[in-house]
Amino acid sequence: EDILDDPTLDEAERKRRRRLLAQTPPTYEDRIRQMCSVNKSALELSYLHLMQKEPTLALWINEAPRDMLDVLNEAATRHTLRLFPSYHTIRDEIHVRIADVPIVDSLRDLRRAHLDGL
C-alpha cells in the first residue's frame, strides 16, 4: 500500500530514469533505439540486472507489479520521446517487459487463480 503513495511513485520514476540513462551493459538506451528502429513499443528490462543496480525497484516490482509497470511504462515512454520526439505518432506508449525473473514454478503448481493474474 505504501507504494501507491505519490512520493514513492516519484522516487520509483526518478530511479527508473537514472536506470534508463545509465550506460551500463546492457545499455537500455541502445535497446530503445533498436526498438524504435523497428517501430515496436515493448522494452525488455532485465530483473537480474535491476536487482544488482536498483534493488529497491526490484523489490517494489515484486510487491506491486501492476503499479510499478505503470510507472516504468511512463518513464520508458518519456525517455523514448526525449530521444525521438515524434515517436508518439508511431506508438502512444512504451510497455516495459520484465525478463530474467528468478522464479521457478512447475506447470502443476499453477492454478487457475494464478493464470488470471499473469
Side-chain angles (χ1 to χ4, degrees):
E1 293 175 26
D2 293 334
I3 198 162
L4 300 176
D5 296 340
D6 286 343
T8 303
L9 293 177
D10 290 343
E11 178 64 18
E13 187 170 348
R14 277 194 301 278
K15 285 187 176 199
R16 175 62 183 147
R17 281 191 198 147
R18 276 195 310 241
R19 174 74 194 92
L20 278 170
L21 294 170
Q23 295 297 318
T24 55
T27 304
Y28 288 98
E29 194 163 292
D30 288 343
R31 287 186 181 189
I32 290 173
R33 291 179 190 283
Q34 184 179 28
M35 173 193 70
C36 292
S37 73
V38 292
N39 296 334
K40 295 209 174 186
S41 65
L43 177 65
E44 191 173 281
L45 176 68
S46 170
Y47 185 83
L48 295 175
H49 192 241
L50 189 61
M51 279 178 41
Q52 292 174 350
K53 299 297 180 183
E54 296 288 346
T56 303
L57 288 182
L59 176 66
W60 289 346
I61 288 172
N62 283 334
E63 297 297 320
R66 286 186 188 195
D67 296 322
M68 285 306 298
L69 283 174
D70 288 343
V71 170
L72 295 173
N73 290 345
E74 185 178 337
T77 300
R78 285 183 185 177
H79 191 73
T80 300
L81 291 176
R82 256 189 237 116
L83 294 173
F84 303 100
S86 61
Y87 201 69
H88 66 88
T89 61
I90 298 170
R91 299 290 180 180
D92 292 334
E93 184 179 12
I94 304 303
H95 303 280
V96 172
R97 305 290 181 243
I98 307 297
D100 306 323
V101 179
I103 296 175
V104 179
D105 285 331
S106 72
L107 286 175
R108 291 178 190 262
D109 293 336
L110 292 177
R111 305 259 187 263
R112 179 134 180 87
H114 294 113
L115 294 176
D116 291 337
L118 296 177

